[in-house]
């Protein structure tokens, strides 16, 4: 009987211990859940980044020391409030200003992202088209330079800022030189004029206009370059379907090869110029003479020997008469 009583008491003690263990486990689970909730709240309010870690490192190790630090901080705040009652109001104003600035900054960042996306979208379509145009210009420009025994290229100059994009014209006029960017400090005035004129002609195929005017482009050129540029303009501008081309110049080289697509207008100005009416009469006689020559299909022989019956008409003679 005594053994049975002891066994009964032991079983009762074991049951009580099991209840205590179950209760402890339940309390542990509750505490664990609360700790996780508090951790989530803490991470939302103060994410654990490098700045937060550096602050935590400086805090005391024990809870008692942390409480003591909190009381000291509260005491300092109360002391500041008592000496400067407006400090809280200033703080709230600054806090509101910071929130407004952060909000505007967020909007601007979103706008910036939208602009970047639009730029990338437009660039994917615009850059290939631009590259194709520059390639076409370069092909024509290089061909012109090869025809005069030199070398020239037109490249697309890229930059992070689209405002800085442009065209780079590179030329080489001598075999011992290398391709260099067209610059007033490198090439002579004549070389720059030749390069500029050939570049302008290279643009003709990609531009549409009723007429083109070039003023004194041959100034600063030597006779060889001037004749070469004239021939390039003549060959290119006299093709059918192209707009009119006006070349304004105070002089022309002798011996230039003119075609029927070229008309030379000489502007006379000064005290010895004839009246417009007299000039019109002379022009009519010349046109009549040319028409007769074309009708007869053979050269028309004239003799300028001072004979009043001669077919040759001089503006000065008309003025004298």
């Amino acid at each position: 009987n005594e053994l049975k009583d002891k066994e009964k008491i032991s079983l009762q003690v074991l049951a009580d211990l099991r209840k205590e263990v179950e209760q402890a486990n339940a309390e542990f689970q509750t505490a664990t859940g609360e700790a996780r909730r508090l951790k989530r709240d803490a991470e939302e309010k103060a994410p654990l980044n490098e700045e937060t870690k550096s602050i935590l490192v400086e805090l005391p190790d024990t809870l008692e020391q942390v409480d003591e630090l909190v009381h000291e901080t509260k005491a300092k705040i109360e002391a500041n409030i008592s000496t400067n009652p407006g400090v809280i109001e200033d703080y709230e104003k600054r806090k509101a200003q910071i929130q407004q600035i952060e909000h505007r900054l967020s909007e601007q960042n979103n706008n910036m992202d939208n602009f970047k996306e639009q730029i990338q979208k437009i660039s994917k379509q615009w850059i290939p088209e631009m590259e194709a145009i520059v390639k076409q210009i370069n092909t024509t420009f290089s061909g012109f330079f090869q025809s005069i025994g030199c070398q020239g290229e037109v490249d697309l100059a890229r930059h992070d800022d689209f405002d800085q994009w442009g065209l780079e014209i590179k030329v080489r006029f001598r075999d011992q030189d290398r391709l260099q960017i067209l610059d007033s400090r490198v090439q002579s005035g004549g070389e720059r004029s030749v390069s500029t004129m050939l570049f302008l002609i290279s643009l003709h195929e990609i531009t549409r206009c009723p007429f083109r005017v070039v003023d004194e482009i041959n100034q600063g050129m030597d006779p060889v370059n001037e004749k070469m540029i004239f021939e390039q303009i003549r060959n290119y501008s006299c093709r059918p379907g192209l707009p009119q081309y006006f070349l304004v110049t105070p002089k022309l080289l002798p011996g230039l090869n003119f075609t029927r697509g070229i008309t030379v207008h000489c502007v006379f100005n000064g005290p010895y110029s004839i009246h417009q009416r007299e000039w019109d009469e002379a022009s009519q006689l010349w046109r009549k003479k040319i028409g007769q020559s074309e009708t007869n299909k053979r050269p028309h022989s004239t003799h300028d020997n001072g004979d009043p019956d001669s077919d040759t008409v001089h503006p000065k003679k008309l003025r004298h008469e």
Side-chain angles (χ1 to χ4, degrees), residues 125-141:
Q125 179 181 0
W126 173 72
I127 292 180
E129 294 178 357
M130 177 63 67
E131 290 175 342
I133 293 174
V134 175
K135 183 178 180 180
Q136 183 179 358
I137 297 173
N138 177 61
T139 301
T140 306
F141 186 76

Side-chain angles (χ1 to χ4, degrees), residues 263-282:
T263 300
V264 179
H265 296 276
C266 297
V267 180
F268 294 97
N269 188 20
Y272 299 103
S273 297
I274 66 175
H275 193 274
Q276 180 65 41
R277 178 180 54 80
E278 297 174 346
W279 177 261
D280 291 342
E281 293 176 357

Side-chain angles (χ1 to χ4, degrees), residues 5 20 43 52 74 78 80 82 85 94 104 119 146 153 161 165 171 173 182 189 193 204-205 215 250 272-273 295:
D5 292 339
E20 292 178 0
E43 290 177 347
T52 307
K74 287 182 178 180
E78 292 175 357
N80 288 330
S82 61
R94 295 289 180 86
R104 290 200 302 267
I119 289 173
Q146 288 178 1
E153 293 181 358
D161 186 358
W165 281 47
V171 295
F173 286 90
L182 190 63
S193 298
H204 291 177
E205 292 186 358
D215 184 18
Y272 299 103
S273 297
T295 302

Side-chain angles (χ1 to χ4, degrees), residues 1-10:
N1 293 331
E2 183 179 357
L3 292 175
K4 290 182 178 180
D5 292 339
K6 289 182 178 180
E7 182 181 3
K8 186 177 180 180
I9 294 172
S10 300

Side-chain angles (χ1 to χ4, degrees), residues 130-265:
M130 177 63 67
E131 290 175 342
I133 293 174
V134 175
K135 183 178 180 180
Q136 183 179 358
I137 297 173
N138 177 61
T139 301
T140 306
F141 186 76
S142 300
F144 284 142
F145 263 78
Q146 288 178 1
S147 65
I148 63 174
C150 300
Q151 185 179 3
E153 293 181 358
V154 178
D155 296 327
L156 183 62
R158 304 170 184 267
H159 196 274
D160 294 337
D161 186 358
F162 283 102
D163 288 340
Q164 304 298 324
W165 281 47
L167 294 179
E168 282 185 350
I169 301 177
K170 300 179 181 179
V171 295
R172 180 175 65 85
F173 286 90
R174 287 165 288 276
D175 294 337
Q176 65 273 19
D177 295 340
R178 58 182 177 84
L179 275 173
Q180 293 180 309
I181 296 177
L182 190 63
D183 189 271
S184 60
R185 295 167 296 183
V186 178
Q187 289 84 17
S188 65
E191 292 172 344
R192 295 198 307 273
S193 298
V194 170
S195 303
T196 302
M197 194 61 215
L198 293 180
F199 175 74
L200 292 177
I201 300 176
S202 302
L203 298 179
H204 291 177
E205 292 186 358
I206 62 172
T207 57
R208 296 293 181 266
C209 57
F211 62 89
R212 295 183 173 92
V213 180
V214 178
D215 184 18
E216 297 188 13
I217 191 61
N218 55 344
Q219 296 303 303
M221 294 185 187
D222 56 48
V224 176
N225 288 330
E226 182 177 350
K227 184 176 181 181
M228 178 270 298
I229 287 296
F230 179 84
E231 290 176 352
Q232 295 291 346
I233 296 176
R234 179 200 62 202
N235 296 337
Y236 198 87
S237 62
C238 291
R239 295 186 304 175
L242 293 178
Q244 282 185 302
Y245 203 106
F246 293 92
L247 176 61
V248 182
T249 177
K251 66 179 181 65
L252 285 174
L253 288 175
L256 295 177
N257 184 14
F258 294 88
T259 64
R260 295 189 62 84
I262 299 177
T263 300
V264 179
H265 296 276

Side-chain angles (χ1 to χ4, degrees), residues 69-127:
L69 181 61
V70 170
H71 290 306
E72 291 178 359
T73 305
K74 287 182 178 180
K76 291 180 180 179
I77 294 174
E78 292 175 357
N80 288 330
I81 294 175
S82 61
T83 57
N84 187 6
V87 66
I88 298 298
E89 184 179 356
D90 292 340
Y91 168 77
E92 295 296 338
K93 289 182 179 179
R94 295 289 180 86
K95 183 178 179 181
Q97 291 176 356
I98 292 173
Q99 291 176 349
Q100 292 177 358
I101 294 174
E102 289 178 345
H103 179 69
R104 290 200 302 267
L105 181 61
S106 177
E107 290 182 346
Q108 291 178 358
N109 288 333
N110 292 333
N111 292 335
M112 181 67 70
D113 293 337
N114 292 333
F115 289 148
K116 288 182 178 179
E117 184 178 354
Q118 293 178 8
I119 289 173
Q120 292 178 354
K121 182 178 179 180
I122 295 174
S123 299
K124 290 181 179 179
Q125 179 181 0
W126 173 72
I127 292 180

